[in-house]
Every structure is written in structure tokens, then in C-alpha cells.
């Protein structure tokens, strides 16, 4: 959730100056004014409470935009991740679509003809500035509809203190993971390797392990290969060499959610797990010395990491194409992209902002994640079937690694859901 991106820092001033020309060069910005228009924007909340809600970011961004575009007002609604996708779907179904949504999925709306393609909204400079691997993931039938908003990648995290106490080194292969976990278990570590395959976000944990075994949800042609031989072997290994040896802790993987695993890591109860940038900061605040390495694979470090992206999109219903384009061109300027990434320890989705982050020493803790992003593998977001497949993974994948489970049958069942969902399109 890619193609390599060669980044060079060309100077913040030059980059910002170049992007500052965006509105003038945009087909949207070329319009001298369109009267008083109110854009309705619905966005997801990345905060954990009122003190760090995303509402402040969007309110500040809207105010700055309105100051430069006096004929356009932006009405912002921020909703929790638990609700935002559903609420936007209900708005669209009721004929009350927002002008702009920042949510987790776009493909259904693109297939239904509800969205403007990027080429009809954005300045060329804005559209071409997205990282190619993310831009590719936002396309339906070759056109960009889902605009990447923020991204993150995954690395294997380990507790350096627990590793030092056990006299072991960071793992590079699956065999290393197993042997390290055995040493941690002997030292009394509660979760030698935390394996969250519960319903919260098991589709992510599943993809990470598939990639480490040279598999994935889809092949290079975009066809689902969920029950491939490589994927089956990966889950057989998890079943026999981690779960079967009692190395995944007191909670069965199918019952363990990511949030619980992450919390245990910050308490010093986990030796290893797959993590993202926010966990790094949370753990270090609790005094955990965190080590990070690329995901170990069957024979060595995995060449590509799993990536995650969220999406921005412009709806056609209200006919505000030009005004939407002006706002999006403004939102994707470097200073705005970096402000949101900084607030939530996420990664920027544009080449220029990524170059600026990479060159800034204060972002050093994120550099490993940033380096992994261009070659990361994302979910098959462009498939309208993905939502159904993702739900099937959440429901079923934990049973694949149970002591009496059958990985081949479980993956076959999920693959059948994928085939049915694809044929229904």
C-alpha cells in the first residue's frame, strides 16, 4: 500500500515559491471569481481527544484559505474514524453529498460517477507532486480520483531493553523472530511477539505477513491471489512456529486487537510487533527504548513494506468544481501538508514535502518510515470489492493460526469472498 521516488532537497524557498504559483496556473485559479460559495468539507479525526482533535487544523486551514479567497467559505465537519465513512455514505445516499471528503475509501464513489477526477480539479503542479506509489493507488480505470492525504508505513518494532536482557539481536528473518521470541519467553516476557489478528485492523497485519512471505492480496496485474501458495505457507509458519510454540502471548491472535497490542508495548510487556510512527512516540514517552528494523522475511529483510494512505476527494453533486480545486490546491501546499503530518507523526504524500521532511533533522525519527514509503505496498484501494474483502479478513483470518485451524481453508474462504465481490461489479 510501489515505484521508487528519487528525492532531492532543492531548498525550501524554491519549493514553496514554486507551489505558490499553483493557484495562478490552475484552471480553477484562472477564474476571476465565482460569487459567494460555501464548500462543505467532512474530514476524519486523527486525534485521541479534544486536546488534539483535527478540528483545529481544519478550522485554521479554512480560515487561511478564506482570507485569500474571499468569495468562498469552507464549512468543516470533523467526525471520528468510527463514524466518518458511514456518515459520508449516508450523506451521498440521501442526495446531500459534501463538496470535499477526507475519509478512508473512494473507489465506490468513483465507480458511481460521483467524483471529479483530479485532472478536472487540480493544478498540474499539484497533481504531479503526489508520490507515484500513492497516486497509482488512488486511480480507477487510469484516472486519479482518490487524492492521497496522509500516509504511513510499517516496520518491526522491538523493545531494546528486553532484547538486551535476553542477550539477543534484532531479527532479520522468520527464524530469527522465532528464536528471539523463545529467548524472550524464557525471560518472562508476556508477549514475546504480539500478533494482532483481531477484528480491529487485522487486514494490515495480514498484509505485512503476506509481503514478508513474498505474497500479497493481489498480483502484479491486480488480480486477487489471497489463497496463493506463498500466502498459505506464510500462515502455516505463523501457526506452527509462533502461535503453536506459545510465543504470541496470553491472548489468542484472533482476539488481540492492535490497540491492545500497542498499549502492551508501551508498558514494556511486548518484545516485538509490527508498528507505525505513532507507536514509536507513544512508547518513548513511556520510557521504552524502541528499536526498528525492516519487516523480517522468510530468507532476509522484506524488500517492500506495507503502506497505508487515507484519501481526499471532490464530489460533483453541488457543481463546485472550480472552488473545490482552489481549496485542494491550497491544502496541498507544503506548509499545510507538513503541518498535518507533524501534528500526528504521519508522512507527507507529496514529493516536495517529503524532501523537506527528509532534509529536516527534527524529523529524523520518521526518516526510516519515510524511506520505506516509495516502495511500500498499499491495499488494493482502487477495487470497489476491497471493502468486502477487508471485512472478510477481519472476520476470518484469526482462525487461520489457531492450533486446530487450517490456513489453506481460511484463506480459500476469503478468496471466495473476493471472487464473488469482483464478479458482482
Amino acid at each position: 500500500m510501489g515505484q521508487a521516488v528519487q528525492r532531492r532537497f532543492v531548498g525550501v524557498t524554491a519549493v514553496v515559491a514554486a507551489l505558490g504559483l499553483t493557484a495562478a496556473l490552475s484552471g480553477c485559479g484562472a477564474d476571476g471569481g465565482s460569487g459567494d460559495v460555501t464548500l462543505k468539507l467532512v474530514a476524519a479525526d486523527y486525534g485521541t481527544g479534544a486536546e488534539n482533535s483535527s478540528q483545529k487544523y481544519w478550522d485554521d486551514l479554512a480560515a487561511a484559505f478564506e482570507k485569500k479567497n474571499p468569495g468562498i467559505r469552507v464549512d468543516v465537519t470533523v467526525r471520528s474514524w468510527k463514524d466518518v465513512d458511514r456518515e459520508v455514505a449516508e450523506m451521498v445516499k440521501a442526495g446531500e453529498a459534501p463538496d470535499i471528503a477526507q475519509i478512508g475509501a473512494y473507489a465506490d464513489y468513483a465507480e458511481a460517477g460521483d467524483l471529479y477526477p483530479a485532472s478536472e480539479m487540480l493544478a498540474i503542479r499539484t497533481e504531479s507532486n503526489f508520490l507515484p506509489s500513492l497516486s497509482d493507488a488512488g486511480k480507477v480505470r487510469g484516472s486519479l480520483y482518490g487524492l492521497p492525504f496522509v500516509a504511513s508505513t510499517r516496520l518491526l518494532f522491538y523493545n531494546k531493553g528486553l532484547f538486551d536482557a535476553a542477550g539477543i539481536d534484532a531479527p532479520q528473518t522468520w527464524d530469527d523472530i522465532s528464536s528471539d521470541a523463545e529467548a524472550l519467553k524464557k525471560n518472562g516476557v508476556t508477549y514475546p511477539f504480539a500478533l494482532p489478528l483481531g477484528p480491529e485492523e487485522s487486514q494490515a497485519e495480514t498484509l505485512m505477513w503476506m509481503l514478508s512471505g513474498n505474497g500479497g492480496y493481489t498480483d502484479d496485474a491486480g488480480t486477487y491471489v489471497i489463497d496463493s501458495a506463498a500466502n498459505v505457507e506464510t500462515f502455516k509458519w505463523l501457526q506452527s512456529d509462533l502461535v503453536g510454540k506459545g510465543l504470541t502471548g496470553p491472548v489468542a491472535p484472533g482476539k488481540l486487537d492492535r490497540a491492545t497490542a500497542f498499549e502492551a508495548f508501551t508498558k514494556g510487556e511486548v518484545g516485538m510487533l509490527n508498528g507505525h510512527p505513532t507507536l514509536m512516540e507513544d512508547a518513548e514517552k513511556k520510557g521504552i527504548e524502541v528499536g526498528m528494523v525492516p519487516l523480517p522475511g522468510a530468507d532476509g529483510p522484506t524488500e517492500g513494506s506495507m503502506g497505508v494512505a487515507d484519501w481526499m476527494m471532490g464530489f460533483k453533486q453541488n457543481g463546485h468544481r472550480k472552488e473545490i480545486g482552489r481549496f485542494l490546491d491550497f491544502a496541498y501546499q507544503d506548509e499545510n501538508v507538513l503541518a498535518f503530518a507533524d501534528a500526528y507523526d504521519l508522512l507527507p504524500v507529496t514529493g516536495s514535502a517529503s524532501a523537506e521532511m527528509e532534509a529536516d533533522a527534527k524529523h529524523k525519527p520518521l526518516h526510516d518510515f519515510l524511506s520505506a514509503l516509495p516502495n511500500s505496498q498499499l491495499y488494493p484501494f482502487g477495487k470497489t470489492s476491497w471493502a468486502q474483502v477487508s471485512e472478510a479478513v477481519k472476520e476470518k483470518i484469526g482462525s487461520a493460526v489457531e492450533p486446530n485451524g487450517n490456513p489453506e481453508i481460511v484463506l480459500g474462504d476469503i478468496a471466495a469472498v473476493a471472487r464473488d465481490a469482483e464478479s458482482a461489479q
Side-chain angles (χ1 to χ4, degrees):
M1 193 251 178
Q3 301 176 17
V5 177
Q6 300 299 321
R7 306 190 195 93
R8 293 184 183 275
F9 182 62
V10 296
V12 175
T13 303
V15 171
V16 174
L19 288 180
L21 296 175
T22 295
L25 293 174
S26 170
C28 308
D31 193 327
S34 51
D36 292 331
V37 169
T38 296
L39 296 178
K40 295 186 294 182
L41 185 153
V42 178
D45 194 349
Y46 290 73
T48 56
E51 69 284 352
N52 68 342
S53 171
S54 301
Q55 186 77 49
K56 183 180 186 305
Y57 171 84
W58 288 110
D59 286 346
D60 290 346
L61 185 70
F65 172 77
E66 290 170 358
K67 186 175 181 180
K68 294 186 176 183
N69 298 269
I72 308 173
R73 181 175 176 271
V74 183
D75 181 12
V76 177
T77 300
V78 173
R79 291 287 185 262
S80 74
W81 269 114
K82 292 182 180 179
D83 301 321
V84 69
D85 287 289
R86 172 182 53 79
E87 291 190 8
V88 169
E90 290 172 353
M91 293 170 70
V92 173
K93 186 176 181 180
E96 300 173 351
D99 295 287
I100 302 167
Q102 185 275 298
I103 51 178
Y106 67 87
D108 284 352
Y109 302 121
E111 286 285 358
D114 295 330
L115 304 180
Y116 290 116
S119 60
E120 293 183 10
M121 299 185 294
L122 304 182
I124 294 173
R125 288 180 181 272
T126 304
E127 183 176 359
S128 64
N129 198 24
F130 292 123
L131 296 175
S133 60
L134 301 180
S135 183
D136 287 347
K139 293 179 178 178
V140 173
R141 297 184 303 277
S143 294
L144 180 63
Y145 289 92
L147 314 181
F149 178 64
V150 286
S152 68
T153 53
R154 302 291 191 262
L155 297 173
L156 183 134
F157 284 36
Y158 64 97
N159 184 315
K160 287 186 175 181
L162 296 179
F163 266 60
D164 289 344
I168 53 179
D169 297 320
Q172 297 188 48
T173 67
W174 286 356
D175 287 345
D176 292 341
I177 287 177
S178 184
S179 60
D180 284 352
E182 288 178 344
L184 291 165
K185 182 180 180 180
K186 288 179 182 178
N187 259 26
V189 175
T190 305
Y191 293 89
F193 195 106
L195 184 64
L197 292 176
E200 181 193 355
E201 205 197 20
S202 54
Q203 78 278 14
E205 189 74 15
T206 296
L207 179 55
M208 284 183 271
W209 283 103
M210 285 178 170
L211 293 174
S212 73
N214 297 313
Y217 284 123
T218 60
D219 60 19
D220 291 341
T223 303
Y224 283 117
V225 289
I226 293 168
D227 56 349
S228 68
N231 290 340
V232 170
E233 287 304 309
T234 294
F235 278 85
K236 284 183 176 179
W237 183 87
L238 287 171
Q239 181 188 46
S240 62
D241 285 51
L242 280 187
V243 181
K245 293 180 179 179
L247 301 177
T248 54
V251 181
K255 302 292 185 182
L256 183 65
D257 281 339
R258 181 189 65 171
T260 302
F262 280 16
E263 183 180 8
F265 187 82
T266 66
K267 293 179 178 178
E269 299 173 351
V270 174
M272 296 173 277
L273 51 58
N274 293 319
H276 59 56
T278 303
L279 175 61
M280 173 186 64
E281 182 177 6
D282 290 346
E284 289 177 347
K285 285 180 179 177
K286 297 289 184 66
I288 304 298
E289 190 177 2
V290 181
M292 296 178 292
V293 293
L295 303 179
D299 302 312
T302 305
E303 291 187 5
S305 174
M306 190 199 85
V308 176
D310 299 321
W311 308 96
M312 190 98 82
M313 61 211 72
F315 283 87
K316 292 180 177 180
Q317 181 179 305
N318 301 315
H320 294 152
R321 176 180 64 84
K322 293 182 180 181
E323 293 83 3
I324 292 170
R326 287 186 185 179
F327 179 80
L328 293 176
D329 283 338
F330 182 81
Y332 281 106
Q333 290 178 8
D334 279 6
E335 61 186 289
N336 299 324
V337 171
L338 287 168
F340 196 92
D342 281 346
Y344 299 104
D345 292 314
L346 294 166
L347 304 179
V349 295
T350 63
S352 55
S354 295
E356 187 168 335
M357 178 177 279
E358 193 171 48
D360 192 336
K362 79 174 183 178
H363 292 119
K364 186 176 180 180
L366 293 175
H367 286 177
D368 286 344
F369 295 96
L370 194 64
S371 297
L373 184 58
N375 294 312
S376 63
Q377 177 69 47
L378 281 70
Y379 303 135
F381 285 111
K383 288 179 170 290
T384 57
S385 58
W386 170 241
Q388 293 174 257
V389 175
S390 177
E391 288 302 314
V393 173
K394 293 178 184 180
E395 178 186 347
K396 300 173 183 292
I397 197 63
S399 62
V401 298
E402 291 176 354
N404 296 321
N406 187 318
E408 189 168 8
I409 290 176
V410 173
L411 291 172
D413 288 345
I414 298 171
V417 171
R419 287 192 295 271
D420 290 345
E422 283 284 274
S423 63
Q425 302 305 318

